[in-house]
Amino acid sequence: MPSVIWPGRPDPLGANADDDGVNFALFSETATRVFLCLFDAPHRPPRETIELPERTGRIFHGYVPGLRPGQLYGFRVDGPYEPHAGLRHNPHKLMLDPYARAVAWSGNAAEPFAYRVGDPAGDLAMDREDNAADAPKGVVAGDAFEWGDDRRPATPWTETLIYELHVKGMSRLHPQVPPTLRGTYAGLASPPIVEHLKSLGVTAVELLPVHEIYDEPEVRRRGLVNYWGYSTLGFFAPAARYAADPRPGGQIAEFKAMVKTLHAAGIEVILDVVFNHTCEGGHLGPSLSLRGIDNRAYYLLDPAAPRYYSDFTGCGNTLNLRHAQTLRLVLDSLRYWAEHMHVDGFRFDLAPALSRRGADVDRHSPFLAAIGQDPLLSRLKLIAEPWDVGPHGYQLGGSPYPWAEWNGRYRDAVRRYWRGDLGLAGELGYRLTGSSDLFSATDRGPTASVNYVACHDGFTLSDLTAYSVKHNHANGEDNRDGNNHEHSSNWGVEGPSEDPRLASIRARTVRNFLTTLAVSQGVPMLAAGDEFGRTQRGNNNAYCQDNPTSWLSWETGPEGQQLLAFARRALTLRSRFAVLRRSRFFAGASGPRSKLRDISWLRPDGRAMGHSDWVSPSTRALALLLGGDATGIHDARGEPVVDATLLVLLNADEVPTRFALPCRELGRWQLLVDTAAPAAEEEILPASADSRELPPATMEVLLLRTDAASEPHSAS
């Protein structure tokens, strides 16, 4: 018997089930009719097609009694097909509900183009072939899940250590993860992965995109996939490709279980979200959802020629967040993931594109205003990737409080300094101390800076020391893709080498990267696998490499195990010492009862750094002294925090450099970390030690011991 459909209600949007049936609601300003298609299986034609009977304002809606969670559905959206006017309705193509909370399909939609491919008229020639059987379909989802006593860890920014990872790549090759769970949400939540994260001191995982993904046709033609996932199909649906549970909708419960497990371990979950563009691409791209529902509302179109898209993302289109419905879609998605999936924050890919006003970036955009006033979203961890590919797109430092930002200048300064570049003392000084030159103007402190040396995009830490140029031939783009300016060095030989001298300098440079990250003010971010020397063999844009190039290899050998042990020790410095976790910028001042300043910059001879030292191209060795009795930090009761005093020595020169040891009248120095001797135990230096000689390209961290028998108390 055909289904009965009642008028239903226009809110909330999407497919929402109750005890008696399912309400369907779809926004479109330009559609004339909307038909609901119901399916019995992902690869079969619709069981029936029913016109939504009501339209309230710009929302088509209807209620089907008797339907239950798990029902597959999609929409045929009728209306004008006039590309020159920015209208691309085609009722022969099934459209995915933008609010679908799960997607079921084969992974390759048949004939997803609204126009006849190969026709001389291009996208102006509407295609009338039906694609409903193989098109992506929404899954009516229920909310049943036993969260129990799950709570957000709510880790303060000052205590946060972010670990950027890919859900599949993290566990795909892990020998201790059950084979059926490898590469899945459940695999990420498995005990060996959680234990590894905790051993590093990780407090938050940042997941590469997990919204449902559609691999671009040109990528699939090369026999590849969009492994990174920056090609979003559905903003509410966890990607089914990462679920061990194969049932339609099973990915929702599995994702929730992953979050619950990570929360129980004290680890927050941050999603890398892509609201700047969708998988539908430019005017010759596929029609899968937004394009065929309301092209003019959801996308920024060229005002002079609405057939084409304004592209500030390099991916063919840009979402139009100045339209109320598009902004609502984004905010509803964020709230859904926060409220129903319990995630703790978001990293916004190409964030300036979300605030575009034509060729300009509006720092007071509706998007930023909406986030800032939202009582839930404004309290989560919000991170911007502060650049896009449009005019004036580099906006580092421009986000408002309380946003944090990926600090690309930190990345470049640290890479160049340890490569041995000249003239970087001043730049490095700002980066090590939280980048006050970038973030103080917006009333933010050091925690606005997410510090990283490597991330998913670019060379790994290991590859930064082994390759001077990219090797992306496997991507099928003739090595034209990817960044050409990695600020890397191969130290004389491109790629792997058996030369012990070369191996030594490369390994020491990686340790320098890790230690610099550990002692820098701000929020450190580590890319998965860099702690044990992961390599992509010189591929710096492995976005389409769903294979061992990108998957973490846990069979690391002695060198990898030694690096892992070192990484754990170096990163532990942050939890041990409050002077490395400041919420305010240094003032260069001392307190009323302190013997030291909060920070002192020293030359190797022990004298204070002067202007000529900061601007001299030859300054490649310097020290910073962090005064534990002058932190300027107060605890919850307003009492001054007295912490340890640390001395950080950095020598990027090509020759050994001797550093005078200050403060000898206050105590003895204890060596905590020496990147030239990674396996060395912590040792208290003799009272007579008045200097330390550092080999070339070496870094040390020392602790001032006022009592040689015990470590100074470190207040949190």
Side-chain angles (χ1 to χ4, degrees):
M1 295 291 293
S3 297
V4 174
I5 189 162
W6 299 340
R9 59 192 186 278
D11 193 71
L13 291 169
N16 292 275
D18 58 27
D19 292 340
D20 300 315
V22 178
N23 190 81
F24 297 90
L26 181 74
F27 170 91
S28 181
E29 291 179 332
T30 54
T32 56
R33 304 169 73 188
V34 173
F35 298 86
L36 170 68
C37 297
L38 301 176
F39 298 84
D40 291 329
H43 315 310
R44 296 182 62 184
R47 178 183 76 225
E48 58 183 316
T49 298
I50 318 165
E51 183 172 2
L52 294 183
E54 292 292 329
R55 180 174 184 176
T56 302
R58 292 161 177 172
I59 299 175
F60 296 81
H61 53 91
Y63 182 93
V64 181
L67 294 186
R68 295 288 180 264
Q71 175 65 55
L72 307 184
Y73 72 101
F75 296 112
R76 297 188 190 275
V77 182
D78 204 354
Y81 186 83
E82 300 172 5
H84 280 307
L87 300 170
R88 294 180 177 270
H89 298 294
N90 186 338
H92 304 283
K93 306 300 177 182
L94 190 76
M95 296 295 105
L96 178 71
D97 178 7
Y99 281 76
R101 285 181 277 171
V103 179
W105 61 316
S106 65
N108 294 295
E111 298 298 331
F113 299 94
Y115 63 94
R116 291 195 299 272
V117 176
D119 192 292
D123 60 309
L124 301 179
M126 188 173 79
D127 183 74
R128 300 181 185 276
E129 291 293 323
D130 188 281
N131 76 331
D134 292 323
K137 298 162 183 67
V139 182
V140 176
D143 290 324
F145 183 79
E146 183 53 58
W147 282 105
D149 59 354
D150 179 70
R151 292 186 179 182
R152 301 185 194 280
T155 307
W157 273 117
T158 52
E159 299 174 18
T160 296
L161 170 58
I162 298 173
Y163 188 89
E164 188 200 33
L165 63 88
H166 188 283
V167 169
K168 181 175 184 178
M170 188 69 186
S171 66
R172 178 63 178 79
L173 299 177
H174 200 297
Q176 296 176 17
V177 174
T180 57
L181 302 183
R182 292 174 188 170
T184 68
Y185 303 118
L188 177 56
S190 62
I193 299 296
V194 174
E195 290 165 9
H196 177 77
L197 295 172
K198 289 181 68 66
S199 76
L200 291 167
V202 169
T203 68
V205 290
E206 183 175 302
L207 310 184
L208 266 67
V210 295
H211 289 166
E212 189 58 72
I213 302 159
Y214 177 79
D215 301 314
E216 302 94 322
E218 60 270 22
V219 174
R220 288 191 285 114
R221 280 194 290 269
R222 300 198 301 269
L224 302 169
V225 300
N226 191 318
Y227 171 74
W228 286 351
Y230 292 92
S231 188
T232 304
L233 173 61
F235 292 119
F236 290 78
R241 63 181 67 181
Y242 305 138
D245 187 340
R247 296 171 298 175
Q251 61 266 46
I252 300 175
E254 187 174 328
F255 185 94
K256 290 178 177 179
M258 175 197 73
V259 172
K260 183 178 178 180
T261 298
L262 291 171
H263 281 181
I267 298 173
E268 295 180 305
V269 178
I270 299 172
L271 301 189
D272 191 337
V273 290
V274 190
F275 293 116
N276 55 79
H277 75 282
T278 75
C279 64
E280 292 184 305
H283 70 289
L284 296 178
S287 288
L288 295 157
S289 183
L290 303 182
R291 171 172 283 146
I293 294 171
D294 195 328
N295 189 56
R296 294 201 301 206
Y298 284 116
Y299 292 116
L300 284 175
L301 305 182
D302 185 338
R307 174 185 178 186
Y308 305 105
Y309 295 82
S310 296
D311 181 10
F312 300 111
T313 67
C315 299
N317 64 54
T318 307
L319 281 181
N320 178 18
L321 267 70
R322 291 192 173 273
H323 192 285
Q325 172 54 32
T326 311
L327 180 60
R328 178 184 177 182
L329 173 71
V330 170
L331 294 174
D332 285 349
S333 169
L334 294 172
R335 293 190 195 101
Y336 171 76
W337 287 94
E339 291 178 359
H340 295 272
M341 309 296 265
H342 288 206
V343 304
D344 304 277
F346 304 94
R347 179 265 190 189
F348 293 82
D349 181 62
L350 301 183
L354 309 181
S355 297
R356 280 281 173 187
R357 185 191 293 271
D360 297 319
V361 177
D362 181 4
R363 294 189 175 184
H364 304 282
S365 68
F367 168 72
L368 291 174
I371 294 285
Q373 62 77 45
D374 191 282
L376 171 60
L377 300 179
S378 62
R379 293 188 175 96
L380 302 180
K381 284 186 165 65
L382 303 172
I383 305 171
E385 182 185 36
W387 46 78
D388 67 16
V389 302
H392 317 295
Y394 194 79
Q395 294 287 316
L396 179 59
S399 298
Y401 176 86
W403 285 69
E405 301 177 36
W406 273 24
N407 192 341
R409 286 183 62 178
Y410 177 95
R411 171 201 63 206
D412 294 346
V414 173
R415 289 182 179 190
R416 294 180 60 208
Y417 175 76
W418 288 116
R419 186 174 66 173
D421 290 11
L422 301 176
L424 283 171
E427 176 77 3
L428 185 71
Y430 275 120
R431 305 307 147 235
L432 292 175
T433 54
S435 297
S436 61
D437 58 328
L438 300 176
F439 302 114
S440 61
T442 47
D443 299 318
R444 293 176 291 168
T447 55
S449 179
V450 175
N451 300 329
Y452 66 103
V453 185
C455 65
H456 70 276
D457 187 1
F459 281 155
T460 67
L461 285 190
S462 178
D463 286 357
L464 283 170
T465 71
Y467 298 92
S468 290
V469 295
K470 64 188 181 183
H471 297 268
N472 299 353
H473 300 282
N475 296 350
E477 300 180 45
D478 297 323
N479 207 35
R480 294 190 303 269
D481 61 306
N483 183 15
N484 293 317
H485 306 285
E486 288 281 10
H487 305 303
S488 62
S489 174
N490 62 19
W491 303 104
V493 176
E494 187 75 356
S497 171
E498 300 296 326
D499 184 343
R501 181 196 62 82
L502 206 58
S504 176
I505 183 61
R506 288 176 173 180
R508 188 160 70 250
T509 302
V510 171
R511 294 192 292 269
N512 289 337
F513 289 148
L514 290 169
T515 307
T516 304
L517 191 66
V519 302
S520 298
Q521 302 297 326
V523 180
M525 185 182 79
L526 184 68
D530 278 346
E531 68 274 21
F532 49 72
R534 183 176 78 92
T535 177
Q536 292 180 170
R537 296 180 290 280
N539 191 324
N540 76 345
N541 189 37
Y543 78 99
C544 55
Q545 298 299 317
D546 186 6
N547 53 51
T549 297
S550 297
W551 305 338
L552 270 62
S553 174
W554 295 87
E555 304 295 336
T556 59
E559 296 83 2
Q561 289 302 310
Q562 184 184 69
L563 178 58
L564 177 58
F566 179 87
R568 288 169 172 161
R569 186 149 59 95
L571 293 171
T572 299
L573 295 175
R574 297 193 64 82
S575 59
R576 289 173 64 181
F577 304 114
V579 291
L580 300 177
R581 308 190 307 270
R582 295 176 57 90
S583 60
R584 296 182 179 180
F585 292 116
F586 290 107
S590 57
R593 293 183 296 275
S594 60
K595 298 178 181 179
L596 300 170
R597 295 180 178 180
D598 56 359
I599 187 171
S600 300
W601 290 96
L602 305 174
R603 298 173 7 157
D605 62 10
R607 290 187 292 173
M609 293 269 290
H611 176 74
S612 60
D613 300 305
W614 287 115
V615 300
S616 172
S618 62
T619 300
R620 291 199 283 182
L622 64 162
L624 62 155
L625 179 67
L626 305 177
D629 64 353
T631 63
I633 305 171
H634 294 79
D635 63 19
R637 298 184 178 182
E639 295 296 323
V641 171
V642 177
D643 192 52
T645 292
L646 297 181
L647 178 65
V648 181
L649 310 177
L650 304 99
N651 179 29
D653 213 335
E654 299 172 349
V655 296
T657 300
R658 182 164 293 277
F659 287 83
L661 295 178
C663 306
R664 293 176 57 227
E665 70 281 4
L666 302 179
R668 297 166 64 181
W669 288 104
Q670 176 178 341
L671 181 64
L672 301 179
V673 173
D674 180 356
T675 62
E681 297 292 329
E682 296 184 5
E683 62 169 316
I684 299 175
L685 305 183
S688 59
D690 59 1
S691 65
R692 292 281 297 175
E693 182 174 274
L694 267 65
T698 298
M699 185 174 181
E700 289 187 353
V701 183
L702 299 97
L703 164 70
L704 183 63
R705 300 295 296 263
T706 55
D707 175 5
S710 62
E711 181 176 302
H713 172 66
S714 175
S716 176

